[in-house]
Amino acid sequence: MTATHPPHATPLPRGERERRPRLDAARGVALLAMAVYHACWDLTFVGLADFDLFENPLWLAARTTILSSFLLLAGIGLVLATERGLDRPRYFRRLGRLAAAAAAVSAASYAVFPDSPIFFGVLHHMAAASVVGLLFVRLPALVSLLAAAAAFAAGQSFGFPLFDSPWLRWIGLTSFAPDSNDFVPLLPWISGLLVGIALARLWPSVGRGVLPGGVVGRGLALAGRHSLAVYLIHQPILFGAVWLIANSGLVPVESPATRSFQSSCVASCGQTGGSAALCEPRCRCVQSAITATGQWEAFLADRLDAQGRAQIGAAIQSCAAR
């Protein structure tokens, strides 16, 4: 009787890697979660929604979970890609694609958001971390876990003015948080990739098995196999669609400046003893009244003349009297 072997038992040529559909699908789930998060960011940016993405603990936890899942899967993938030895041409092709994509993201962000560009985002991090990670792919899992703990602790606990330099900020030991729309420094975030390396060392069969979920599962796995392409194209498509909706005139749009005014107005009203039930409608009244005078842009830019100040003063008094 001839013995049969599962497909993964057949030696593969160097440079080829057994596809693990469950890992592809997991990457697809992470991409879907990321797209939802980015859509919420886009809606908030153009004024169609007001998600508290940078202060609300649930949103902060969501961002951390999504980003950590990508880094963990990257660590697993790095171990699997080198399990039969490092295929240098394949590795450097992938590294080159990551570096080129990161450069493209930076260039686009400098053009669109010159005040908060992406100079070291998730793609920059994954390119750098995939180089550092090579030092750990053959080491015991415990070493990677200890290094992950040290990286996390250092990134969370230390900050030095020396690392505030634009040339050193990517390390992550800055004394302040740089103004960037996507800042993913080496410390503490490389801890996610190191945990993935340790997981792959402890669980060599990770990701094997039948792909669950039918058509949905296959779709997620397909997206996961082309994660870099999906990452690069999803945000321009989402942002373009949201921008078109915001500028169609079909839905009301509250700009960031309006939200900032409302927030500061309500806070000032509350400091004088007003309740939220009183302050919020009063501040909306003031904003509407200023807009009606045609002085809203001048008010925001602090360019009011005497007549404009008198008009706005009368509008504020009218709202306060209601």
Side-chain angles (χ1 to χ4, degrees):
M1 182 175 176
T2 303
T4 59
H5 301 278
H8 61 262
T10 304
L12 295 174
R14 181 175 176 175
E16 292 191 19
R17 179 160 57 93
E18 169 200 352
R19 294 293 338 170
R20 303 203 179 186
R22 292 190 174 189
L23 287 180
D24 290 332
R27 203 174 292 111
V29 171
L31 286 167
L32 180 60
M34 175 193 65
V36 171
Y37 180 91
H38 283 166
C40 293
W41 188 94
D42 295 341
L43 289 167
T44 300
F45 180 81
V46 302
L48 291 175
D50 188 17
F51 298 110
D52 189 7
L53 300 175
F54 304 108
E55 299 293 339
N56 187 295
L58 292 178
W59 279 111
L60 293 174
R63 178 184 183 272
T64 298
T65 300
I66 294 168
L67 180 52
S68 297
S69 66
F70 276 111
L71 298 177
L72 184 138
L73 289 166
I76 294 173
L78 190 61
V79 172
L80 298 180
T82 57
E83 62 184 347
R84 292 176 177 83
L86 178 64
D87 182 347
R88 293 178 184 273
R90 184 187 182 102
Y91 171 81
F92 283 110
R93 282 196 303 271
R94 178 182 178 277
L95 185 62
R97 287 195 297 269
L98 273 175
V105 168
S106 288
S109 72
Y110 273 96
V112 180
F113 307 109
D115 294 330
S116 55
I118 299 172
F119 60 89
F120 202 82
V122 62
L123 294 182
H124 306 71
H125 178 99
M126 292 184 74
S130 64
V131 175
V132 177
L134 286 180
L135 302 174
F136 294 87
V137 292
R138 288 287 176 262
L139 297 179
L142 180 60
V143 174
S144 296
L145 290 174
L146 290 174
F152 181 81
Q156 292 287 87
S157 304
F158 300 116
F160 306 98
L162 170 66
F163 293 93
D164 294 340
S165 162
W167 301 104
L168 297 176
R169 290 177 186 174
W170 62 274
I171 297 173
L173 296 178
T174 57
S175 61
F176 66 94
D179 191 3
S180 173
N181 280 316
D182 184 27
F183 183 47
V184 188
L186 206 62
L187 301 174
W189 289 104
I190 197 173
S191 57
L193 181 130
L194 293 173
V195 169
I197 289 174
L199 179 61
R201 297 285 289 166
L202 293 170
W203 186 11
S205 63
V206 60
R208 284 182 179 145
V210 178
L211 182 66
V215 175
V216 174
R218 289 194 295 273
L220 291 172
L222 178 63
R225 285 196 295 274
H226 303 282
S227 57
L228 181 58
V230 173
Y231 182 90
L232 289 175
I233 67 174
H234 85 282
Q235 180 64 321
I237 293 173
L238 285 174
F239 189 82
V242 168
W243 185 88
L244 287 174
I245 294 171
N247 288 274
S248 67
L250 300 176
V251 291
V253 176
E254 186 181 67
S255 68
T258 300
R259 290 196 301 271
S260 177
F261 169 79
Q262 290 290 333
S263 177
S264 60
C265 178
V266 170
S268 297
C269 178
Q271 290 174 359
T272 63
S275 64
L278 172 67
C279 293
E280 290 179 4
R282 180 177 292 176
C283 289
R284 284 195 296 271
C285 172
V286 170
Q287 192 268 326
S288 298
I290 296 174
T291 301
T293 67
Q295 300 284 346
W296 178 245
E297 296 298 330
F299 171 76
L300 292 177
D302 195 21
R303 291 187 285 101
L304 290 170
D305 56 21
Q307 182 181 0
R309 286 193 292 271
Q311 288 178 321
I312 289 177
I316 292 173
Q317 288 180 2
S318 174
C319 291
R322 294 185 181 182

